[in-house]
Amino acid sequence: MALTTDEIMQLSLDLVEWDEVPADSTIYVPGENIESALVGIDLESPEVQLAEREGYDLVLAHHPAGERARLDFPDVLNRQIEFMTDHGVPESQAEDAVADLRERVELGAHSANYRHDPSVAELLDQPYMNIHLAPDEIGRRRFIDVAEGIGSESSVAEFVAALEEIPELAAAETDVEIRVGNGEHELGEVAVHHAAGTNGGADVARAYFENGVDTLLYIHVGAGDARELREAYEEKNLVVTGHIASDAIGLNALIDALEERGVECTPISGCSIGRA
């Protein structure tokens, strides 16, 4: 059956049992009677033009492309504090750990041309939206299930091997990497730091490590952050699953749900990873 953009956004919320649309997800150009969608991790003005030319009813991106989803993006970073405090990090320390990241995101959003991609979609009257946090939450829960499934007494290498059984990670050109620590370490307490806007860098990792977390999972990390953590925490572990492959986990679940409701989806820009 044909859907509206509002119904598609609601579908994404239903998949994770949420009531409110997150700050990093929005509808730029609404649409009705949607029976086909071009779906990808990064779909911007060139892909909007492609979709209009090829007759797609909707452009559905994962990463934020404009307006509210970029300008309000810092609000999503509050989840980083929530995740840290859930693992015993004092709230004041968690807030300090996120402070620099929040400032960088806020300043970056303020300088970005948030009207560029939506204005192209408006000119072409091409329905266009992005859904970011809910698919990432699906991926986060999958990673938690893997960690709980093998248990804290397993090795980090066994954790990596179990993660690599996830179809999207198995099919990716990137590998699951141990950026800090080594595979022989015991897994211990695991924190999955995903579905909070972006990774927390060295500051957030340090807060986890100093409050009892033994193994931290990010989907990506910068070289400088990884180097700093390796020098300071030889007995701790940072496992990185790969940005695009990890994003594809939740997007594939959303695509499956859309196709079950009759929307024909064409996955591009990374979200075809791991699809049968």
Side-chain angles (χ1 to χ4, degrees):
M1 63 179 180
L3 300 177
T4 68
T5 45
D6 283 336
E7 288 171 335
I8 290 172
M9 184 67 80
Q10 183 60 52
L11 174 61
S12 74
L13 300 180
D14 292 343
L15 291 174
V16 290
E17 300 179 323
W18 288 350
D19 296 324
E20 297 182 359
V21 178
D24 62 353
S25 306
T26 196
I27 298 166
Y28 307 110
V29 177
E32 300 180 349
N33 299 317
I34 294 168
E35 297 180 337
S36 64
L38 187 66
V39 186
I41 291 174
D42 294 289
L43 300 183
E44 300 172 336
S45 59
E47 293 78 26
V48 169
Q49 296 172 68
L50 169 66
E52 192 274 338
R53 185 175 71 242
E54 298 297 322
Y56 287 95
D57 299 326
L58 174 68
V59 177
L60 173 53
H62 179 52
H63 288 150
E67 265 104 354
R68 174 177 175 267
R70 281 192 176 179
L71 296 177
D72 292 347
F73 190 86
D75 293 346
V76 176
L77 300 179
N78 291 331
R79 283 171 63 85
Q80 304 220 2
I81 297 171
E82 175 187 333
F83 293 163
M84 282 186 280
T85 56
D86 284 347
H87 283 275
V89 179
E91 186 170 354
S92 60
Q93 186 178 357
E95 290 175 349
D96 288 344
V98 175
D100 181 66
L101 173 61
R102 185 189 299 279
E103 182 179 33
R104 286 189 280 114
V105 170
E106 287 176 347
L107 293 176
H110 195 265
S111 67
N113 183 354
Y114 57 84
R115 287 295 303 147
H116 179 68
D117 300 308
S119 69
V120 173
E122 290 167 1
L123 183 64
L124 296 173
D125 196 25
Q126 172 64 57
Y128 183 33
M129 66 191 297
N130 91 279
I131 301 177
H132 189 234
L133 196 63
D136 281 355
E137 175 65 12
I138 293 170
R140 186 181 79 92
R141 295 177 188 180
R142 181 80 66 86
F143 294 148
I144 291 172
D145 287 345
V146 170
E148 293 179 347
I150 66 171
S152 62
E153 295 182 0
S154 300
S155 69
V156 174
E158 289 172 320
F159 182 43
V160 169
L163 289 167
E164 288 178 336
E165 293 180 6
I166 296 173
E168 290 81 1
L169 302 189
E173 295 296 325
T174 54
D175 296 321
V176 179
E177 300 282 0
I178 303 170
R179 298 299 189 193
V180 178
N182 69 69
E184 296 180 358
H185 286 171
E186 186 173 278
L187 193 60
E189 181 178 344
V190 178
V192 174
H193 196 83
H194 179 36
T198 185
N199 79 79
D203 290 342
V204 166
R206 187 181 302 109
Y208 278 116
F209 290 156
E210 292 179 358
N211 288 278
V213 168
D214 301 294
T215 301
L216 176 63
L217 184 150
Y218 280 170
I219 68 167
H220 55 83
V221 69
D225 289 326
R227 189 179 308 113
E228 178 182 337
L229 293 168
R230 278 196 299 270
E231 292 173 354
Y233 299 100
E234 293 182 0
E235 301 304 315
K236 300 293 187 177
N237 312 289
L238 174 62
V239 174
V240 177
T241 54
H243 186 179
I244 302 306
S246 300
D247 281 358
I249 295 170
L251 276 178
N252 280 334
L254 178 58
I255 289 171
D256 289 343
L258 286 169
E259 291 185 336
E260 287 174 2
R261 288 157 180 79
V263 178
E264 183 178 350
C265 296
T266 301
I268 65 170
S269 185
C271 70
S272 60
I273 296 173
R275 294 194 66 78

